[in-house]
Amino acid sequence: MMKLYHGPGACSFVPLACLERVRESDGIDFEVAPVKLHKGEQLSAEYLALNPRGQVPLLLVDGKPLTQVMAIVGYLEQRFPKAHLLPVEPFERAQTVSTLAWFNNTVHTTFTHIFMPQKFAATDEAKAEVKRHNLALFRQQLGEIDGMAARAAPFLTGHQFSPLDAYALTFLRWAGLAGIDPTTLPNYWVYVQKLATYAPVERALAADRVPLNTYKPAA
Ligand SMILES: N[C@@H](CCC(=O)N[C@@H](CS)C(=O)NCC(=O)O)C(=O)O
């Protein structure tokens, strides 16, 4: 049985939602091992033995560890074609992978600069600057995704759920944590609320127990 190491609210929500989709298409079961990132569980000796980089997601397949969102999603897509995790038509598929790569290598990384500036700068002043600068970038990137959400039908690639949807949902939850009110991204917010009612995403959210709207207005 496959086992996903998942941090509630983290990017491992992407493979989690894909696995829930595969549960539906192929009737498979899988295990979820929660990793509490805020408690540093990703740095325990036990976890580092599986992933020396100390990050989620990690998928154990027959006891063998696989890391990186892109690789895990690619593996699930090839192994479970009935789930249609990516479009079949070659150009549409390449475009979806292109957006997924941008999500993973740019939007995700921008948020990491806001949430964990200590990974990128040493002094308090430099960390504050890294945070400020990347918050402005993150807003811009979410604006671009708001444009994609305006065209969602109902998913970002059309009528099939894809990893893009799970990533987009994750970013909107991160937006709230970064102090961005998700309702200020109107197309995005409407699209994500609808996405949350799609059964595999609904199950992944129930396992995750992190709300869609994490924004707390300043008192
Ligand atoms: N490039 C990696 C990024 C993974 C990543 O950033 N994971 C974060 C959670 S979203 C994490 O585990 N952070 C904890 C840490 O770095 O200490 C991937 O695509 O899997």
Side-chain angles (χ1 to χ4, degrees):
M1 195 192 294
M2 289 184 286
K3 183 171 179 176
L4 178 72
Y5 287 77
H6 167 62
C11 58
S12 43
F13 184 80
V14 179
L16 176 64
C18 291
L19 280 163
E20 285 294 354
R21 169 73 190 111
V22 166
R23 186 203 292 284
E24 196 176 74
S25 62
D26 289 67
I28 59 112
D29 200 7
F30 60 90
E31 260 180 79
V32 177
V35 181
K36 293 187 184 115
L37 299 177
H38 59 281
K39 291 197 174 160
E41 288 179 5
Q42 72 278 24
L43 302 174
S44 70
E46 191 193 343
Y47 191 76
L48 288 175
L50 292 170
N51 181 5
R53 295 186 193 125
Q55 289 194 320
V56 292
L58 180 136
L59 185 70
L60 274 190
V61 182
D62 301 328
K64 290 180 295 195
L66 183 63
T67 59
Q68 299 292 329
V69 171
M70 298 294 285
I72 297 173
V73 160
Y75 171 75
L76 294 175
E77 192 261 334
Q78 279 214 316
R79 181 166 162 198
F80 302 103
K82 276 199 287 184
H84 292 293
L85 288 174
L86 293 175
V88 175
E89 197 281 318
F91 193 77
E92 244 185 89
R93 181 195 183 87
Q95 276 186 318
T96 303
V97 173
S98 165
T99 306
L100 188 59
W102 180 69
F103 277 10
N104 183 249
N105 67 28
T106 303
V107 187
H108 181 154
T109 310
T110 301
F111 180 72
T112 310
H113 283 73
I114 301 167
F115 206 58
M116 302 183 106
Q118 68 278 13
K119 285 196 188 242
F120 306 95
T123 67
D124 286 349
E125 199 186 337
K127 280 187 253 181
E129 173 59 13
V130 162
K131 235 173 141 159
R132 204 170 27 246
H133 184 71
N134 282 276
L135 183 58
L137 285 177
F138 193 49
R139 272 183 210 279
Q140 253 175 37
Q141 293 161 353
L142 295 176
E144 192 174 332
I145 302 174
D146 187 70
M148 295 179 194
R151 299 185 297 274
F155 301 108
L156 290 184
T157 62
H159 66 283
Q160 288 281 355
F161 166 81
S162 82
L164 291 183
D165 299 298
Y167 233 142
L169 184 154
T170 302
F171 293 149
L172 205 61
R173 291 197 294 185
W174 291 354
L177 299 178
I180 301 169
D181 179 350
T183 65
T184 61
L185 296 153
N187 301 303
Y188 200 165
W189 181 230
V190 166
Y191 148 79
V192 158
Q193 285 175 97
K194 189 159 184 206
L195 178 65
T197 66
Y198 173 61
V201 172
E202 198 175 23
R203 282 196 301 274
L205 281 168
D208 216 25
R209 297 161 81 192
V210 174
L212 277 188
N213 189 345
T214 57
Y215 175 65
K216 290 197 177 57

